[in-house]
Amino acid sequence: MTQKELDDKELLEILELAKDTEQKAREMCQMSSANTAKYQKWSEAKAKEAEKQKQPQ
């Protein structure tokens, strides 16, 4: 089975799709990093709170 050669228009469409995909992946990564940082701060605050409650008053 042979494949047809892609013309310039098709190559540009593929390039544009790849660029869009890269941008969406970058945005998802940034969102994930932001959520991770937010959760880490929350988790550290909860750990400090739990540690305070363990200490005798």
Side-chain angles (χ1 to χ4, degrees):
M1 191 162 129
T2 61
Q3 295 180 349
K4 71 169 189 142
E5 287 194 28
L6 301 175
D7 62 21
D8 287 346
K9 182 181 176 186
E10 291 169 320
L11 289 172
L12 287 173
E13 286 178 23
I14 292 170
L15 180 61
E16 191 61 36
L17 286 171
K19 286 180 179 180
D20 289 346
T21 301
E22 178 187 20
Q23 180 62 33
K24 287 180 182 177
R26 189 180 319 274
E27 290 170 3
M28 285 176 46
C29 182
Q30 290 170 344
M31 191 182 315
S32 177
S33 294
N35 286 339
T36 298
K38 185 177 177 181
Y39 176 77
Q40 185 173 2
K41 286 180 184 178
W42 176 83
S43 178
E44 289 170 356
K46 287 289 184 181
K48 283 182 183 179
E49 186 177 311
E51 191 63 34
K52 284 182 182 178
Q53 290 179 356
K54 283 184 181 179
Q55 295 174 353
Q57 295 180 1

Tab-separated table of all heavy atoms in Angstrom:
chain	number	residue	atom	x	y	z
A	1	MET	N	0.854	-1.181	0.000
A	1	MET	CA	0.000	0.000	0.000
A	1	MET	C	0.896	1.239	0.000
A	1	MET	O	1.772	1.378	0.836
A	1	MET	CB	-0.880	-0.023	1.244
A	1	MET	CG	-1.970	0.980	1.224
A	1	MET	SD	-3.210	0.506	2.442
A	1	MET	CE	-3.360	2.015	3.297
A	2	THR	N	0.670	2.117	-0.932
A	2	THR	CA	1.488	3.330	-1.012
A	2	THR	C	0.693	4.511	-0.506
A	2	THR	O	-0.534	4.556	-0.620
A	2	THR	CB	1.940	3.597	-2.466
A	2	THR	OG1	0.779	3.770	-3.273
A	2	THR	CG2	2.770	2.441	-2.991
A	3	GLN	N	1.431	5.467	0.037
A	3	GLN	CA	0.786	6.677	0.531
A	3	GLN	C	1.019	7.801	-0.460
A	3	GLN	O	2.088	7.887	-1.069
A	3	GLN	CB	1.356	7.074	1.884
A	3	GLN	CG	1.068	6.077	2.974
A	3	GLN	CD	1.655	6.522	4.310
A	3	GLN	OE1	2.437	7.451	4.371
A	3	GLN	NE2	1.280	5.831	5.363
A	4	LYS	N	0.022	8.656	-0.591
A	4	LYS	CA	0.193	9.795	-1.478
A	4	LYS	C	1.056	10.843	-0.787
A	4	LYS	O	1.093	10.930	0.434
A	4	LYS	CB	-1.152	10.393	-1.877
A	4	LYS	CG	-1.857	11.131	-0.756
A	4	LYS	CD	-3.039	11.911	-1.279
A	4	LYS	CE	-3.554	12.781	-0.141
A	4	LYS	NZ	-3.981	14.065	-0.563
A	5	GLU	N	1.774	11.598	-1.548
A	5	GLU	CA	2.577	12.673	-0.987
A	5	GLU	C	1.656	13.818	-0.567
A	5	GLU	O	0.670	14.111	-1.242
A	5	GLU	CB	3.601	13.164	-2.003
A	5	GLU	CG	4.745	12.202	-2.214
A	5	GLU	CD	5.888	12.850	-2.956
A	5	GLU	OE1	6.064	14.079	-2.865
A	5	GLU	OE2	6.605	12.094	-3.629
A	6	LEU	N	1.994	14.431	0.544
A	6	LEU	CA	1.193	15.541	1.035
A	6	LEU	C	1.608	16.828	0.327
A	6	LEU	O	2.788	17.067	0.104
A	6	LEU	CB	1.390	15.693	2.547
A	6	LEU	CG	1.020	14.472	3.390
A	6	LEU	CD1	1.380	14.711	4.840
A	6	LEU	CD2	-0.446	14.145	3.249
A	7	ASP	N	0.603	17.633	0.007
A	7	ASP	CA	0.938	18.919	-0.616
A	7	ASP	C	1.185	19.966	0.474
A	7	ASP	O	1.031	19.698	1.669
A	7	ASP	CB	-0.155	19.365	-1.593
A	7	ASP	CG	-1.510	19.592	-0.942
A	7	ASP	OD1	-1.556	19.790	0.286
A	7	ASP	OD2	-2.519	19.594	-1.667
A	8	ASP	N	1.585	21.155	0.075
A	8	ASP	CA	1.932	22.209	1.037
A	8	ASP	C	0.766	22.562	1.949
A	8	ASP	O	0.947	22.789	3.142
A	8	ASP	CB	2.414	23.475	0.308
A	8	ASP	CG	3.809	23.307	-0.274
A	8	ASP	OD1	4.498	22.329	0.099
A	8	ASP	OD2	4.215	24.153	-1.091
A	9	LYS	N	-0.449	22.595	1.395
A	9	LYS	CA	-1.623	22.940	2.198
A	9	LYS	C	-1.835	21.909	3.307
A	9	LYS	O	-2.085	22.259	4.458
A	9	LYS	CB	-2.856	23.025	1.304
A	9	LYS	CG	-4.111	23.421	2.045
A	9	LYS	CD	-5.304	23.471	1.109
A	9	LYS	CE	-6.562	23.785	1.904
A	9	LYS	NZ	-7.762	23.708	1.090
A	10	GLU	N	-1.729	20.642	2.965
A	10	GLU	CA	-1.915	19.583	3.961
A	10	GLU	C	-0.814	19.627	5.026
A	10	GLU	O	-1.080	19.448	6.215
A	10	GLU	CB	-1.935	18.220	3.276
A	10	GLU	CG	-3.179	18.002	2.419
A	10	GLU	CD	-3.081	16.771	1.546
A	10	GLU	OE1	-2.007	16.495	0.986
A	10	GLU	OE2	-4.120	16.075	1.432
A	11	LEU	N	0.415	19.879	4.597
A	11	LEU	CA	1.520	19.986	5.555
A	11	LEU	C	1.315	21.160	6.500
A	11	LEU	O	1.586	21.056	7.696
A	11	LEU	CB	2.849	20.118	4.813
A	11	LEU	CG	3.325	18.860	4.092
A	11	LEU	CD1	4.550	19.175	3.225
A	11	LEU	CD2	3.642	17.753	5.079
A	12	LEU	N	0.816	22.275	5.974
A	12	LEU	CA	0.552	23.433	6.827
A	12	LEU	C	-0.569	23.146	7.823
A	12	LEU	O	-0.512	23.589	8.971
A	12	LEU	CB	0.221	24.662	5.974
A	12	LEU	CG	1.401	25.287	5.232
A	12	LEU	CD1	0.919	26.381	4.278
A	12	LEU	CD2	2.426	25.833	6.207
A	13	GLU	N	-1.578	22.405	7.383
A	13	GLU	CA	-2.669	22.024	8.284
A	13	GLU	C	-2.136	21.143	9.419
A	13	GLU	O	-2.499	21.330	10.585
A	13	GLU	CB	-3.764	21.282	7.520
A	13	GLU	CG	-4.623	22.172	6.642
A	13	GLU	CD	-5.665	21.374	5.854
A	13	GLU	OE1	-6.018	20.247	6.272
A	13	GLU	OE2	-6.124	21.897	4.825
A	14	ILE	N	-1.293	20.185	9.077
A	14	ILE	CA	-0.707	19.306	10.092
A	14	ILE	C	0.158	20.116	11.047
A	14	ILE	O	0.101	19.916	12.274
A	14	ILE	CB	0.114	18.179	9.417
A	14	ILE	CG1	-0.826	17.240	8.666
A	14	ILE	CG2	0.943	17.420	10.449
A	14	ILE	CD1	-0.131	16.237	7.769
A	15	LEU	N	0.936	21.032	10.523
A	15	LEU	CA	1.782	21.883	11.364
A	15	LEU	C	0.936	22.717	12.314
A	15	LEU	O	1.245	22.831	13.500
A	15	LEU	CB	2.660	22.790	10.499
A	15	LEU	CG	3.590	23.745	11.233
A	15	LEU	CD1	4.582	22.981	12.095
A	15	LEU	CD2	4.323	24.636	10.239
A	16	GLU	N	-0.163	23.272	11.809
A	16	GLU	CA	-1.052	24.082	12.646
A	16	GLU	C	-1.687	23.232	13.743
A	16	GLU	O	-1.772	23.658	14.893
A	16	GLU	CB	-2.134	24.742	11.786
A	16	GLU	CG	-2.935	25.801	12.506
A	16	GLU	CD	-2.087	26.970	12.991
A	16	GLU	OE1	-1.135	27.363	12.314
A	16	GLU	OE2	-2.396	27.490	14.083
A	17	LEU	N	-2.098	22.022	13.405
A	17	LEU	CA	-2.663	21.112	14.409
A	17	LEU	C	-1.618	20.767	15.470
A	17	LEU	O	-1.931	20.723	16.668
A	17	LEU	CB	-3.166	19.835	13.745
A	17	LEU	CG	-4.453	19.951	12.946
A	17	LEU	CD1	-4.716	18.658	12.165
A	17	LEU	CD2	-5.630	20.255	13.853
A	18	ALA	N	-0.390	20.552	15.043
A	18	ALA	CA	0.681	20.238	15.999
A	18	ALA	C	0.938	21.426	16.922
A	18	ALA	O	1.134	21.255	18.130
A	18	ALA	CB	1.949	19.858	15.253
A	19	LYS	N	0.925	22.633	16.368
A	19	LYS	CA	1.134	23.827	17.190
A	19	LYS	C	-0.005	23.995	18.200
A	19	LYS	O	0.234	24.331	19.359
A	19	LYS	CB	1.239	25.076	16.317
A	19	LYS	CG	2.551	25.180	15.575
A	19	LYS	CD	2.587	26.436	14.722
A	19	LYS	CE	3.883	26.590	13.970
A	19	LYS	NZ	3.911	27.805	13.141
A	20	ASP	N	-1.237	23.785	17.760
A	20	ASP	CA	-2.391	23.885	18.662
A	20	ASP	C	-2.292	22.848	19.779
A	20	ASP	O	-2.558	23.152	20.942
A	20	ASP	CB	-3.702	23.691	17.892
A	20	ASP	CG	-4.049	24.855	16.992
A	20	ASP	OD1	-3.442	25.941	17.139
A	20	ASP	OD2	-4.934	24.681	16.125
A	21	THR	N	-1.918	21.638	19.418
A	21	THR	CA	-1.776	20.571	20.401
A	21	THR	C	-0.687	20.909	21.407
A	21	THR	O	-0.865	20.709	22.620
A	21	THR	CB	-1.464	19.236	19.692
A	21	THR	OG1	-2.522	18.940	18.780
A	21	THR	CG2	-1.327	18.101	20.687
A	22	GLU	N	0.425	21.432	20.922
A	22	GLU	CA	1.514	21.822	21.819
A	22	GLU	C	1.056	22.902	22.792
A	22	GLU	O	1.348	22.841	23.989
A	22	GLU	CB	2.709	22.330	21.014
A	22	GLU	CG	3.863	22.788	21.876
A	22	GLU	CD	4.972	23.451	21.089
A	22	GLU	OE1	4.731	23.908	19.958
A	22	GLU	OE2	6.086	23.520	21.629
A	23	GLN	N	0.323	23.880	22.300
A	23	GLN	CA	-0.157	24.969	23.157
A	23	GLN	C	-1.119	24.440	24.220
A	23	GLN	O	-1.026	24.818	25.393
A	23	GLN	CB	-0.838	26.057	22.315
A	23	GLN	CG	-1.359	27.226	23.112
A	23	GLN	CD	-0.270	27.975	23.852
A	23	GLN	OE1	0.862	28.069	23.398
A	23	GLN	NE2	-0.591	28.506	25.018
A	24	LYS	N	-2.008	23.559	23.822
A	24	LYS	CA	-2.959	22.987	24.787
A	24	LYS	C	-2.228	22.148	25.831
A	24	LYS	O	-2.570	22.203	27.019
A	24	LYS	CB	-4.022	22.170	24.069
A	24	LYS	CG	-5.012	23.040	23.329
A	24	LYS	CD	-6.064	22.239	22.611
A	24	LYS	CE	-6.979	23.194	21.860
A	24	LYS	NZ	-7.985	22.490	21.093
A	25	ALA	N	-1.232	21.403	25.416
A	25	ALA	CA	-0.448	20.605	26.363
A	25	ALA	C	0.305	21.518	27.330
A	25	ALA	O	0.380	21.246	28.531
A	25	ALA	CB	0.533	19.711	25.614
A	26	ARG	N	0.838	22.617	26.823
A	26	ARG	CA	1.544	23.575	27.670
A	26	ARG	C	0.588	24.174	28.708
A	26	ARG	O	0.918	24.293	29.885
A	26	ARG	CB	2.149	24.679	26.813
A	26	ARG	CG	3.094	25.615	27.536
A	26	ARG	CD	3.662	26.691	26.617
A	26	ARG	NE	4.040	26.238	25.303
A	26	ARG	CZ	5.229	25.704	24.990
A	26	ARG	NH1	6.129	25.541	25.923
A	26	ARG	NH2	5.497	25.334	23.754
A	27	GLU	N	-0.620	24.544	28.278
A	27	GLU	CA	-1.613	25.105	29.198
A	27	GLU	C	-2.025	24.092	30.257
A	27	GLU	O	-2.162	24.443	31.430
A	27	GLU	CB	-2.839	25.584	28.406
A	27	GLU	CG	-2.578	26.809	27.557
A	27	GLU	CD	-3.717	27.127	26.595
A	27	GLU	OE1	-4.756	26.431	26.618
A	27	GLU	OE2	-3.557	28.079	25.806
A	28	MET	N	-2.198	22.836	29.855
A	28	MET	CA	-2.560	21.802	30.815
A	28	MET	C	-1.436	21.594	31.830
A	28	MET	O	-1.690	21.409	33.027
A	28	MET	CB	-2.860	20.490	30.092
A	28	MET	CG	-4.188	20.485	29.391
A	28	MET	SD	-4.544	18.986	28.432
A	28	MET	CE	-4.090	17.689	29.531
A	29	CYS	N	-0.206	21.647	31.370
A	29	CYS	CA	0.940	21.482	32.259
A	29	CYS	C	1.004	22.628	33.265
A	29	CYS	O	1.242	22.412	34.453
A	29	CYS	CB	2.226	21.419	31.439
A	29	CYS	SG	3.701	21.163	32.426
A	30	GLN	N	0.781	23.850	32.782
A	30	GLN	CA	0.795	25.013	33.677
A	30	GLN	C	-0.325	24.916	34.708
A	30	GLN	O	-0.125	25.221	35.889
A	30	GLN	CB	0.679	26.310	32.873
A	30	GLN	CG	1.918	26.617	32.063
A	30	GLN	CD	1.725	27.770	31.092
A	30	GLN	OE1	0.609	28.173	30.783
A	30	GLN	NE2	2.831	28.295	30.598
A	31	MET	N	-1.497	24.485	34.281
A	31	MET	CA	-2.625	24.341	35.191
A	31	MET	C	-2.330	23.257	36.230
A	31	MET	O	-2.601	23.431	37.416
A	31	MET	CB	-3.895	23.981	34.401
A	31	MET	CG	-5.154	24.075	35.213
A	31	MET	SD	-6.662	23.608	34.301
A	31	MET	CE	-6.473	24.430	32.752
A	32	SER	N	-1.750	22.179	35.771
A	32	SER	CA	-1.395	21.094	36.681
A	32	SER	C	-0.361	21.556	37.699
A	32	SER	O	-0.464	21.248	38.886
A	32	SER	CB	-0.858	19.908	35.883
A	32	SER	OG	-0.449	18.881	36.735
A	33	SER	N	0.630	22.318	37.253
A	33	SER	CA	1.652	22.834	38.161
A	33	SER	C	1.047	23.783	39.189
A	33	SER	O	1.402	23.741	40.371
A	33	SER	CB	2.752	23.545	37.372
A	33	SER	OG	3.449	22.621	36.565
A	34	ALA	N	0.133	24.629	38.740
A	34	ALA	CA	-0.524	25.561	39.653
A	34	ALA	C	-1.353	24.804	40.689
A	34	ALA	O	-1.324	25.138	41.884
A	34	ALA	CB	-1.410	26.534	38.873
A	35	ASN	N	-2.073	23.784	40.251
A	35	ASN	CA	-2.872	22.983	41.183
A	35	ASN	C	-1.983	22.238	42.163
A	35	ASN	O	-2.323	22.106	43.347
A	35	ASN	CB	-3.768	22.006	40.428
A	35	ASN	CG	-4.944	22.693	39.767
A	35	ASN	OD1	-5.328	23.783	40.159
A	35	ASN	ND2	-5.502	22.063	38.768
A	36	THR	N	-0.854	21.753	41.696
A	36	THR	CA	0.077	21.047	42.574
A	36	THR	C	0.604	21.981	43.656
A	36	THR	O	0.651	21.618	44.839
A	36	THR	CB	1.245	20.459	41.757
A	36	THR	OG1	0.718	19.514	40.826
A	36	THR	CG2	2.272	19.787	42.654
A	37	ALA	N	0.995	23.185	43.259
A	37	ALA	CA	1.505	24.153	44.230
A	37	ALA	C	0.424	24.519	45.248
A	37	ALA	O	0.694	24.603	46.454
A	37	ALA	CB	1.999	25.404	43.505
A	38	LYS	N	-0.789	24.706	44.772
A	38	LYS	CA	-1.915	25.042	45.648
A	38	LYS	C	-2.175	23.912	46.645
A	38	LYS	O	-2.332	24.144	47.841
A	38	LYS	CB	-3.154	25.298	44.791
A	38	LYS	CG	-4.354	25.771	45.546
A	38	LYS	CD	-5.479	26.050	44.560
A	38	LYS	CE	-6.745	26.471	45.243
A	38	LYS	NZ	-7.832	26.721	44.290
A	39	TYR	N	-2.178	22.673	46.152
A	39	TYR	CA	-2.418	21.531	47.028
A	39	TYR	C	-1.280	21.376	48.031
A	39	TYR	O	-1.511	21.045	49.192
A	39	TYR	CB	-2.587	20.247	46.215
A	39	TYR	CG	-2.733	19.033	47.088
A	39	TYR	CD1	-3.941	18.770	47.724
A	39	TYR	CD2	-1.666	18.181	47.314
A	39	TYR	CE1	-4.080	17.680	48.567
A	39	TYR	CE2	-1.798	17.085	48.152
A	39	TYR	CZ	-3.013	16.831	48.767
A	39	TYR	OH	-3.142	15.751	49.590
A	40	GLN	N	-0.056	21.602	47.577
A	40	GLN	CA	1.083	21.457	48.475
A	40	GLN	C	0.990	22.452	49.631
A	40	GLN	O	1.227	22.096	50.780
A	40	GLN	CB	2.392	21.655	47.713
A	40	GLN	CG	3.612	21.392	48.562
A	40	GLN	CD	4.898	21.429	47.755
A	40	GLN	OE1	4.885	21.692	46.552
A	40	GLN	NE2	6.003	21.170	48.405
A	41	LYS	N	0.623	23.693	49.344
A	41	LYS	CA	0.461	24.699	50.400
A	41	LYS	C	-0.640	24.268	51.370
A	41	LYS	O	-0.485	24.365	52.584
A	41	LYS	CB	0.115	26.066	49.806
A	41	LYS	CG	1.265	26.755	49.140
A	41	LYS	CD	0.832	28.096	48.592
A	41	LYS	CE	1.945	28.777	47.842
A	41	LYS	NZ	1.526	30.057	47.269
A	42	TRP	N	-1.741	23.789	50.833
A	42	TRP	CA	-2.854	23.340	51.662
A	42	TRP	C	-2.425	22.173	52.544
A	42	TRP	O	-2.705	22.134	53.744
A	42	TRP	CB	-4.022	22.933	50.758
A	42	TRP	CG	-5.189	22.353	51.490
A	42	TRP	CD1	-6.197	23.038	52.104
A	42	TRP	CD2	-5.470	20.966	51.705
A	42	TRP	NE1	-7.091	22.177	52.673
A	42	TRP	CE2	-6.658	20.881	52.441
A	42	TRP	CE3	-4.825	19.795	51.333
A	42	TRP	CZ2	-7.215	19.676	52.810
A	42	TRP	CZ3	-5.379	18.580	51.709
A	42	TRP	CH2	-6.564	18.537	52.443
A	43	SER	N	-1.712	21.226	51.939
A	43	SER	CA	-1.259	20.044	52.664
A	43	SER	C	-0.278	20.419	53.778
A	43	SER	O	-0.372	19.892	54.893
A	43	SER	CB	-0.589	19.079	51.678
A	43	SER	OG	-0.102	17.944	52.339
A	44	GLU	N	0.624	21.330	53.500
A	44	GLU	CA	1.583	21.769	54.519
A	44	GLU	C	0.871	22.485	55.666
A	44	GLU	O	1.208	22.289	56.837
A	44	GLU	CB	2.652	22.661	53.893
A	44	GLU	CG	3.615	21.898	53.002
A	44	GLU	CD	4.529	22.795	52.194
A	44	GLU	OE1	4.397	24.044	52.247
A	44	GLU	OE2	5.393	22.244	51.482
A	45	ALA	N	-0.119	23.296	55.340
A	45	ALA	CA	-0.884	23.989	56.374
A	45	ALA	C	-1.636	22.984	57.251
A	45	ALA	O	-1.675	23.125	58.481
A	45	ALA	CB	-1.857	24.981	55.743
A	46	LYS	N	-2.217	21.975	56.635
A	46	LYS	CA	-2.930	20.942	57.396
A	46	LYS	C	-1.967	20.173	58.293
A	46	LYS	O	-2.296	19.835	59.431
A	46	LYS	CB	-3.659	19.971	56.458
A	46	LYS	CG	-4.884	20.553	55.815
A	46	LYS	CD	-5.956	20.713	56.864
A	46	LYS	CE	-7.236	21.192	56.272
A	46	LYS	NZ	-8.281	21.379	57.265
A	47	ALA	N	-0.771	19.886	57.801
A	47	ALA	CA	0.223	19.157	58.592
A	47	ALA	C	0.660	19.985	59.794
A	47	ALA	O	0.798	19.456	60.912
A	47	ALA	CB	1.426	18.794	57.728
A	48	LYS	N	0.866	21.280	59.599
A	48	LYS	CA	1.232	22.163	60.710
A	48	LYS	C	0.110	22.219	61.741
A	48	LYS	O	0.350	22.189	62.944
A	48	LYS	CB	1.544	23.576	60.203
A	48	LYS	CG	2.891	23.704	59.560
A	48	LYS	CD	3.147	25.142	59.132
A	48	LYS	CE	4.468	25.272	58.418
A	48	LYS	NZ	4.729	26.653	57.983
A	49	GLU	N	-1.107	22.312	61.255
A	49	GLU	CA	-2.273	22.355	62.144
A	49	GLU	C	-2.369	21.057	62.960
A	49	GLU	O	-2.609	21.086	64.170
A	49	GLU	CB	-3.543	22.537	61.306
A	49	GLU	CG	-4.796	22.736	62.110
A	49	GLU	CD	-5.988	22.976	61.202
A	49	GLU	OE1	-5.893	23.815	60.290
A	49	GLU	OE2	-7.011	22.294	61.426
A	50	ALA	N	-2.152	19.940	62.327
A	50	ALA	CA	-2.197	18.639	63.010
A	50	ALA	C	-1.069	18.541	64.033
A	50	ALA	O	-1.258	18.005	65.132
A	50	ALA	CB	-2.108	17.510	61.998
A	51	GLU	N	0.090	19.055	63.699
A	51	GLU	CA	1.229	19.037	64.622
A	51	GLU	C	0.937	19.887	65.849
A	51	GLU	O	1.266	19.491	66.970
A	51	GLU	CB	2.488	19.536	63.907
A	51	GLU	CG	3.762	19.313	64.663
A	51	GLU	CD	4.081	17.838	64.907
A	51	GLU	OE1	3.759	16.994	64.051
A	51	GLU	OE2	4.656	17.538	65.974
A	52	LYS	N	0.322	21.029	65.658
A	52	LYS	CA	-0.039	21.902	66.793
A	52	LYS	C	-1.019	21.206	67.719
A	52	LYS	O	-0.943	21.332	68.940
A	52	LYS	CB	-0.645	23.220	66.295
A	52	LYS	CG	0.355	24.193	65.755
A	52	LYS	CD	-0.351	25.474	65.341
A	52	LYS	CE	0.616	26.474	64.751
A	52	LYS	NZ	-0.071	27.695	64.304
A	53	GLN	N	-1.957	20.481	67.154
A	53	GLN	CA	-2.965	19.793	67.958
A	53	GLN	C	-2.366	18.627	68.746
A	53	GLN	O	-2.869	18.266	69.803
A	53	GLN	CB	-4.113	19.296	67.073
A	53	GLN	CG	-4.951	20.421	66.537
A	53	GLN	CD	-6.081	19.932	65.650
A	53	GLN	OE1	-6.215	18.756	65.366
A	53	GLN	NE2	-6.901	20.869	65.176
A	54	LYS	N	-1.273	18.050	68.263
A	54	LYS	CA	-0.610	16.955	68.970
A	54	LYS	C	0.135	17.435	70.207
A	54	LYS	O	0.259	16.709	71.173
A	54	LYS	CB	0.397	16.258	68.046
A	54	LYS	CG	-0.196	15.330	67.033
A	54	LYS	CD	0.913	14.637	66.271
A	54	LYS	CE	0.383	13.708	65.219
A	54	LYS	NZ	1.484	13.071	64.485
A	55	GLN	N	0.645	18.648	70.144
A	55	GLN	CA	1.439	19.173	71.246
A	55	GLN	C	0.548	19.468	72.461
A	55	GLN	O	-0.544	19.992	72.321
A	55	GLN	CB	2.165	20.466	70.828
A	55	GLN	CG	3.196	20.238	69.743
A	55	GLN	CD	3.804	21.534	69.247
A	55	GLN	OE1	3.374	22.613	69.624
A	55	GLN	NE2	4.807	21.410	68.398
A	56	PRO	N	1.058	19.117	73.652
A	56	PRO	CA	0.269	19.420	74.853
A	56	PRO	C	0.171	20.924	75.071
A	56	PRO	O	1.104	21.660	74.788
A	56	PRO	CB	1.061	18.766	75.977
A	56	PRO	CG	2.403	18.465	75.423
A	56	PRO	CD	2.288	18.459	73.932
A	57	GLN	N	-0.939	21.343	75.541
A	57	GLN	CA	-1.150	22.788	75.694
A	57	GLN	C	-0.916	23.244	77.092
A	57	GLN	O	-1.054	22.742	78.083
A	57	GLN	CB	-2.562	23.158	75.262
A	57	GLN	CG	-2.745	22.903	73.790
A	57	GLN	CD	-4.157	23.269	73.341
A	57	GLN	OE1	-4.988	23.716	74.106
A	57	GLN	NE2	-4.427	23.044	72.072
